[in-house]
Amino acid sequence: MALLGDVTEFLLLEAELADANAYDEWLALWDDPCTYWVPCNRDDYDPTKHVSIIYDDRARLEERCFRLTTGGAHSQEPQSKVCRMVGSIRVVDAQGADDTVEVTARVIMVELRLGRKSVYAARCHYTLWRSPSGFKLRRKKVMLLDADEPLGNMTFLI
Amino acid sequence: MAQYAELIQPGRVHSAVFTSEDIYEAELENIFYRYWMFVAHESEIPQPGDYCTKWIGQKQVIVSRAADGEIGVFFNRCRHRGAAVCMEEYGNASFFRCPYHGWTYNSSGDLVGVPYPSRYGDDFDKSSLGLAKVARVGSVAGFIFASMAEEGPTLAEHLGKAAGYLEDFVKASPLSTVSLSAGTSKSTFWGNWKFVGMDGYHTNFTHKTVLDLRQRKQGASYSRGAGNSDKSSNESWDLGNGHCRLDLTGKDKVAVGSASNTSIAANIPDTDDGREYMRLMTETYGDEAPEVIRRSRDVHIHVWPNLQLIGSQVRVIRSLAAGRTEVMSYPAMLDGVPDSINTERIRSFEWFSGVASFGTPDDTEVFERNQIGLQSDYIPWLVLGRGLTVAPQEDGSLVGNVTDEVPQRAQMQAWLRAMGPESAVDVAVRTEGEAK
């Protein structure tokens, strides 16, 4: 249970930083290299052959956070206000390859921007690396319930 | 009341064109249900029996490849009591069976099965009760268009000079064919569909962060924003019939490892696969290969009214209300190239396009702010006067500086013709100096 507690703490921290649009602190949670994947249309496919909503490697994730902090990202000016719940957290493999932990969770996000409130739900899969200084996000996959629906502005941290 | 011609004037346009629900309804009838609309690409239904469902305005259609390979476009409505007969976006089927009373249609849309037929009279004629067909269907370079008007300009007449750019687009493949096989990036925004146009003036402002990202990557060698100013040699084109484009690649030198200067075209990577791609292209197109690639990598065209080809993407625009639009985008995969070339196209697509990308969300944000701003119509005019004095070329095209509003005026003129300049519309147009 100690592991589940540590994992939960980490996922809640990640959610809190994302809600706060704390791009640099959020980026600091990620490993290098890493993969941030939000599939499009369906949950599983070969991302080298199918388009994704987000398929960031470390370099593109840094671009994403740079873009949101450099000024002029109109789609986040004003920023989204986001309040998310992370639940149903399960450690599905405590002894993953290369000293990692495989975790699944459900996330409900309520996003408010310019008077419009949107609700998103997702199943998430995380690969956490046990670094000497604590967990690092090696991979995060966000399977949106709406992956195959026309979506609006999704430039907040999902 | 006003006439449409009062709303579209030289160099200015009335905001009601974008905000009136009456005009939205009239657009459905005069444009979406009459003009040649892009509906699907042949690669979405490659095999006999393949189908996909699409929307033309508020009407859902089935685009189907029959057993004999013929492509038909049918309204998704059972001829009995009107239920939609197909709810899948893509599939392969020998039959479409209505869930209500079991009426069954084949992939040519013919009614082939009616349960308990003995209760119909002798004059019951199944052959007249096939799925209703969209009147005219045609295709160019695999792009399937459909028109609900039984008469009118042919597809070739409507496309005019735009057809050549559809051909150019697919020539990025050494087989001269592309496939929309990599899925669909689906989006909506709270603004009018006509904001999705061809604008070379917004780039350095709306896409400030794209310039920032390029500068971050390229450092001092980056000539920031140079392709998108009044001093640029890039161009804006009016091709006639509302079709328009930006020329952002005219000065590109095409070689392995060199990116396009000012467009969002995918790079040809400096890898074995990149070199193999160049070899395959040279095998097909000979010495013309670099020019074929230059012309194909970002045709950057709006095929009026609802299709755009930008970089590697096929973009389809649908109006849902005066202030609501749906955009479906497909990264087009090149047939006959190494896998990594197409992966690069997908990654490059995701960089700029899609709801969480670094480009189009800022466009969409501006469209939504347009819709907010245009409600304040005390002075209702939008100014579209950049490059107003550009003279026509010999073939009738207008070519301006990339920042000119040549494309916007081209689309507004096509729109005016479609709506009927003399037709009446419920908009109050005050004369200059008068209060509203």
Side-chain angles (χ1 to χ4, degrees), chain A residues 136-155:
Chain A
K136 291 282 182 192
L137 260 177
R138 183 161 290 177
R139 186 171 181 274
K140 180 183 178 186
K141 181 179 177 186
V142 181
M143 291 165 276
L144 288 168
L145 199 61
D146 284 349
D148 199 31
E149 301 299 319
L151 289 163
N153 178 351
M154 301 292 286
T155 53

Side-chain angles (χ1 to χ4, degrees), chain B residues 76-405:
Chain B
N76 189 9
R77 170 189 166 127
C78 181
R79 288 294 301 280
H80 176 214
R81 297 232 221 127
V85 298
C86 179
M87 297 307 284
E88 297 295 324
E89 201 175 345
Y90 290 98
N92 180 283
S94 310
F95 301 103
F96 301 106
R97 178 167 292 132
C98 180
Y100 201 173
H101 306 92
W103 284 35
T104 302
Y105 304 87
N106 67 16
S107 56
S108 300
D110 305 322
L111 179 62
V112 294
V114 174
Y116 322 136
S118 67
R119 300 304 297 160
Y120 286 109
D122 292 340
D123 59 347
F124 183 75
D125 178 15
K126 276 201 304 194
S127 72
S128 69
L129 288 170
L131 295 174
K133 289 185 162 84
V134 175
R136 294 184 296 164
V137 178
S139 69
V140 170
F143 293 86
I144 306 167
F145 295 83
S147 164
M148 292 183 203
E150 284 174 16
E151 291 172 7
T154 63
L155 177 59
E157 286 165 349
H158 168 69
L159 291 178
K161 291 190 275 285
Y165 293 95
L166 297 175
E167 305 279 2
D168 280 350
F169 182 79
V170 303
K171 282 184 186 161
S173 150
L175 305 180
S176 302
T177 57
V178 302
S179 293
L180 303 194
S181 58
T184 316
S185 170
K186 303 179 177 180
S187 64
T188 58
F189 65 88
W190 295 94
N192 189 267
W193 68 285
K194 296 187 293 299
F195 296 141
V196 189
M198 286 281 136
D199 186 285
Y201 189 21
H202 76 302
T203 313
N204 290 351
F205 312 99
T206 303
H207 299 302
K208 185 245 177 200
T209 62
V210 164
L211 274 60
D212 289 338
L213 286 165
R214 288 196 167 151
Q215 192 154 18
R216 179 175 178 268
K217 197 167 192 170
Q218 297 174 29
S221 70
Y222 180 53
S223 171
R224 185 182 172 104
N228 316 308
S229 79
D230 56 348
K231 305 291 185 294
S232 169
S233 59
N234 286 339
E235 293 164 340
S236 57
W237 287 52
D238 169 355
L239 299 165
N241 293 349
H243 313 311
C244 51
R245 63 180 296 261
L246 301 179
D247 191 323
L248 305 177
T249 56
K251 302 294 179 291
D252 277 8
K253 296 246 185 313
V254 171
V256 166
S258 76
S260 177
N261 282 330
T262 55
S263 88
I264 55 168
N267 195 3
I268 304 168
D270 187 10
T271 60
D272 286 348
D273 283 351
R275 286 179 282 277
E276 173 65 3
Y277 172 70
M278 282 300 278
R279 191 191 68 74
L280 291 164
M281 291 296 282
T282 305
E283 200 172 273
T284 301
Y285 302 109
D287 294 343
E288 291 296 303
E291 176 64 5
V292 168
I293 294 171
R294 188 191 65 74
R295 292 178 63 88
S296 67
R297 73 197 317 190
D298 185 14
V299 299
H300 223 102
I301 191 171
H302 189 132
V303 181
W304 203 75
N306 74 325
L307 172 67
Q308 293 190 334
L309 306 178
I310 298 177
S312 62
Q313 79 170 291
V314 174
R315 186 190 276 179
V316 188
I317 306 151
R318 180 163 76 106
S319 180
L320 303 176
R324 188 86 170 132
T325 300
E326 174 192 271
V327 178
M328 298 290 198
S329 290
Y330 309 78
M333 299 291 91
L334 306 179
D335 294 338
V337 306
D339 287 347
S340 74
I341 298 295
N342 279 326
T343 300
E344 175 67 22
R345 282 171 78 89
I346 294 172
R347 295 289 94 85
S348 129
F349 174 98
E350 290 158 352
W351 194 83
F352 191 88
S353 302
V355 294
S357 71
F358 307 154
T360 53
D362 290 337
D363 289 318
T364 303
E365 174 70 11
V366 166
F367 302 155
E368 295 189 347
R369 291 198 204 181
N370 275 346
Q371 205 68 25
I372 294 168
L374 293 187
Q375 303 298 328
S376 303
D377 57 355
Y378 182 72
I379 298 174
W381 300 104
L382 289 73
V383 182
L384 294 180
R386 290 186 68 82
L388 194 57
T389 55
V390 166
Q393 314 263 308
E394 266 178 40
D395 69 351
S397 301
L398 290 173
V399 182
N401 167 265
V402 69
T403 70
D404 284 352
E405 280 149 349

